[in-house]
Structures are given as structure tokens and as C-alpha cells.
């Protein structure tokens, strides 16, 4: 590939990222449905017609925002699961990663939680898809633990869904935390660990009934 081609690709990627970043900034206190293409391109510093070189529609941009936030988090937590051998280690590592990632990307997660519960259309569907993938990957990893190896796939997925729901609650608490200080963050993290321990320890003695 020529230097000119590489440079063109880099410029295209920078512009695409500028559109994503601009959309996030505009979504700080509003829903995605209220966002217009013209607003986003003006904030990104490009003409409206240039938008279609990067996205086919505003919905596609919204889906890209979902994927950008969720896939990075999924990858980080999957890596953490690969490095631990006990449920206690898994809980501690997963909560730590969730906390750090949400605090580093609050705009993304404010957007995700708002659209998860109040949005509609392709963006909300993309969030649901990413959460299902998250739970499916977790269910596969849960089967590695001795006391879960005899569980059915359905039951493993049910447990994984409970864990993902608990993690979503932690995300909302971090986004809405008041006051914003270390003590509040520590309380939220401590509660998140307790929730996950409750799910895991409860599951250890639970038996599915027909």
C-alpha cells in the first residue's frame, strides 16, 4: 500500500472517529433520537454530505457507538476471566475492570444506559445484541468451574444473565453517583462485589427443578 493510500485511510479513520466523538458530546444530556446529522457534522467540522462516506445513516452511527463501548469492555473482561481460576478472583477482576472502564468512558455508558431503557430502533437492538453476546461468552466460561460443569446450557445462560443484569446496575450507579468521590466509588464497588458473590454462592446450592 502506498504512503498516499495509508494517509488517506488514516484521514478517513480520524474523520469517522471525530463523528463518533461529536455525537457522544452532543448526547451528554439527551436521547439519540433527538440528534441530527447536521449537528453532528457541524461539531465534527465537516460538511453534511461527507457524513455518508463513513456511515449510511444516523442509526448506523449509533450502532457503531454501541459496539465501540461494549466490545472493548467484553474483550477486557474476557481477558480477566482467562487469568483467574476461582470465582472470587473472577468477581474481583471483573468489578475492577468494569469500574475503571466506566469511569474512563462515562459518555459511552451514559449513552448506553439511556438508550437501553429509553431508546428504540436499531440502537436499542444493538445494545440488546451486545448484552446477549456478553452473557453467552460468560456462560461458556462459567462451565469451567467444577460445581457448574453438570449444569445445562439453559441454566448457565440464566446465571450469566443474572450476572450481566447485576453489572448493569453497577454501571447505572457509577454514572449517577452523588457525590462524586472516592468514598462513593468504593461503596459502589463493594456493593457490586457483594451482588456477584450472592449470585455465585446462591447458585452453588441451587438445583434446577422440572
Amino acid at each position: 500500500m502506498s504512503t498516499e493510500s495509508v494517509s488517506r485511510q488514516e484521514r478517513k479513520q480520524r474523520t469517522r472517529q471525530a463523528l463518533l466523538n461529536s455525537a457522544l458530546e452532543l448526547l451528554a444530556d439527551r436521547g439519540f433520537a433527538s440528534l441530527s446529522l447536521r449537528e453532528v457534522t457541524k461539531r465534527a467540522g465537516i460538511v453534511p454530505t461527507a457524513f455518508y462516506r463513513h456511515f449510511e445513516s444516523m442509526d448506523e452511527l449509533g450502532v457503531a457507538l454501541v459496539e465501540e463501548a461494549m466490545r472493548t469492555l467484553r474483550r477486557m473482561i474476557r481477558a480477566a476471566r482467562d487469568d483467574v481460576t476461582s470465582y472470587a478472583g473472577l468477581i474481583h477482576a471483573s468489578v475492577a475492570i468494569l469500574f475503571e472502564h466506566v469511569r474512563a468512558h462515562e459518555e459511552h455508558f451514559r449513552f448506553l444506559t439511556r438508550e437501553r431503557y429509553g431508546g428504540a430502533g436499531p440502537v436499542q437492538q444493538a445494545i440488546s445484541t451486545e448484552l446477549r453476546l456478553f452473557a453467552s461468552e460468560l456462560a461458556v466460561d462459567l462451565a469451567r468451574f467444577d460445581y457448574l460443569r453438570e449444569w445445562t446450557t439453559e441454566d448457565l445462560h440464566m446465571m450469566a444473565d443474572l450476572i450481566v443484569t447485576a453489572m448493569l446496575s453497577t454501571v447505572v450507579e457509577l454514572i449517577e453517583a452523588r457525590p462524586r468521590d472516592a468514598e462513593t466509588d468504593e461503596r459502589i464497588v463493594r456493593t457490586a462485589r457483594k451482588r456477584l458473590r450472592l449470585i455465585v454462592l446462591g447458585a452453588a446450592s441451587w438445583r434446577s427443578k422440572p
Side-chain angles (χ1 to χ4, degrees):
M1 186 178 293
S2 68
T3 302
E4 182 179 353
S5 297
V6 171
S7 180
R8 188 182 305 117
Q9 284 297 108
E10 289 176 347
R11 286 197 301 272
K12 185 175 181 180
Q13 183 58 38
R14 282 198 299 270
T15 301
R16 185 180 190 278
Q17 192 61 50
L19 288 166
L20 292 169
N21 293 344
S22 296
L24 269 182
E25 291 168 6
L26 291 165
L27 288 167
D29 56 2
R30 56 196 284 200
F32 184 77
S34 69
L35 198 62
S36 74
L37 182 152
R38 190 169 294 277
E39 286 180 289
V40 174
T41 53
K42 182 178 180 180
R43 175 69 66 99
I46 66 172
V47 296
T49 53
F51 176 90
Y52 296 103
R53 299 174 191 163
H54 307 276
F55 301 100
E56 291 184 1
S57 65
M58 285 294 291
D59 281 338
E60 187 176 280
L61 180 146
V63 170
L65 284 173
V66 173
E67 293 174 348
E68 187 175 55
M70 286 299 298
R71 290 185 179 177
T72 300
L73 178 61
R74 280 170 47 210
R75 184 170 62 250
M76 292 169 68
I77 292 184
R78 184 166 60 244
R81 293 199 298 264
D82 289 340
D83 290 338
V84 297
T85 56
S86 68
Y87 76 83
L90 175 60
I91 288 170
H92 193 279
S94 296
V95 172
I97 287 170
L98 182 67
F99 168 75
E100 291 169 4
H101 197 62
V102 171
R103 278 287 175 257
H105 304 281
E106 290 194 25
E107 298 88 352
H108 267 119
F109 286 94
R110 189 173 292 109
F111 159 70
L112 288 174
T113 54
R114 182 185 293 122
E115 297 302 316
R116 170 77 176 89
Y117 298 108
V123 173
Q124 189 179 59
Q125 291 169 17
I127 295 171
S128 295
T129 297
E130 290 293 329
L131 291 175
R132 283 197 301 271
L133 288 171
F134 202 155
S136 294
E137 291 176 358
L138 178 57
V140 171
D141 286 340
L142 288 172
R144 297 183 305 169
F145 294 102
D146 290 339
Y147 73 88
L148 297 175
R149 284 177 182 164
E150 303 304 318
W151 280 36
T152 65
T153 299
E154 180 182 357
D155 288 345
L156 286 170
H157 276 270
M158 181 174 63
M159 182 178 175
D161 285 338
L162 288 172
I163 291 173
V164 170
T165 298
M167 295 179 81
L168 282 175
S169 294
T170 299
V171 170
V172 173
E173 289 169 5
L174 287 169
I175 293 299
E176 297 180 350
R178 297 292 184 277
R180 282 296 186 92
D181 56 27
E183 183 178 350
T184 301
D185 282 347
E186 177 56 32
R187 175 181 54 77
I188 293 171
V189 167
R190 188 167 57 247
T191 300
R193 290 173 181 155
K194 286 182 178 179
R195 281 198 194 105
L196 295 186
R197 280 200 299 272
L198 181 62
I199 293 170
V200 173
L201 293 174
S205 59
W206 179 84
R207 292 294 181 268
S208 179
K209 298 185 183 300

